Amino acid sequence: MSQNTAQRPPTTGMGTGTGTGTGMGMGTTGVGTGTGAHAERKAAWAIGGSFFAGVLLLVIGATDILQGIAAIRRNAFLNTAGYTYSFNLTSWGWIHLAIGVLLALVGMALLARARWARYAGIGLAALNMIAQFMYLPHQPVWAVVGIALSAFIIWALANDRGALDTGARAGSGART
């Protein structure tokens, strides 16, 4: 019986972690795996996404406000033949105006790094998706853009794992 005497690189790096294996579970870099440059890039992307989501909430809020004002000024019905949902344009305008104001306020709070704004932003973006879906037969291109932007906002805020909480953790002594 012959034994393979070739040395293998370490697979559970203690200390500096110089493992270079290519198999699954091989080549770990030691204690704290996942806390290096890759995690920092991922955190930077999440923080950038949250900042962009805050700006988008402001922009979508402003456009909803403008849509609402335009709808309030015209007193007609949004009616598409065969569409299940038909609205009085004035009431539709007040709905858009209210959602727009809330979106803009939450966007400002998100940019100010308020903890609650992340969850409120997700909820309001979902509400805006529904409102834009119902607006789809009336302004299809703008409604699809609004749905896509709301979906991005939800994704960005849901993937922001603690980027808004870094100040709270740093102040409590959890990080050094």
Side-chain angles (χ1 to χ4, degrees):
M1 292 204 206
S2 68
Q3 288 186 328
N4 186 356
T5 58
Q7 290 186 353
R8 292 186 185 138
T11 58
T12 57
M14 303 294 251
T16 61
T18 58
T20 59
T22 58
M24 217 155 82
M26 302 192 56
T28 60
T29 58
V31 179
T33 300
T35 59
H38 174 70
E40 289 174 11
R41 282 192 306 269
K42 190 172 183 180
W45 170 254
I47 292 169
S50 294
F51 180 79
F52 188 52
V55 171
L56 281 178
L57 282 170
L58 282 171
V59 170
I60 290 174
T63 57
D64 275 3
I65 289 169
L66 293 175
Q67 282 179 345
I69 291 171
I72 291 169
R73 291 197 49 143
R74 294 187 208 141
N75 195 9
F77 281 87
L78 284 177
N79 206 354
T80 304
Y83 189 56
T84 306
Y85 307 105
S86 63
F87 296 96
N88 177 304
L89 194 57
T90 304
S91 52
W92 183 253
W94 284 108
I95 291 169
H96 268 285
L97 185 66
I99 290 174
V101 168
L102 291 173
L103 285 168
L105 289 174
V106 169
M108 287 188 286
L110 188 63
L111 292 176
R113 295 184 177 240
R115 255 184 194 184
W116 58 269
R118 190 169 113 194
Y119 303 107
I122 291 171
L124 284 173
L127 183 65
N128 191 53
M129 272 179 124
I130 294 167
Q132 294 299 325
F133 174 76
M134 295 174 73
Y135 200 56
L136 196 59
H138 310 289
Q139 292 290 327
V141 174
W142 182 249
V144 168
V145 169
I147 290 169
L149 290 176
S150 294
F152 173 78
I153 290 169
I154 292 169
W155 174 84
L157 295 178
N159 278 319
D160 182 12
R161 303 246 194 282
L164 298 175
D165 301 334
T166 55
R169 281 187 289 163
S172 65
R175 291 178 55 185
T176 57

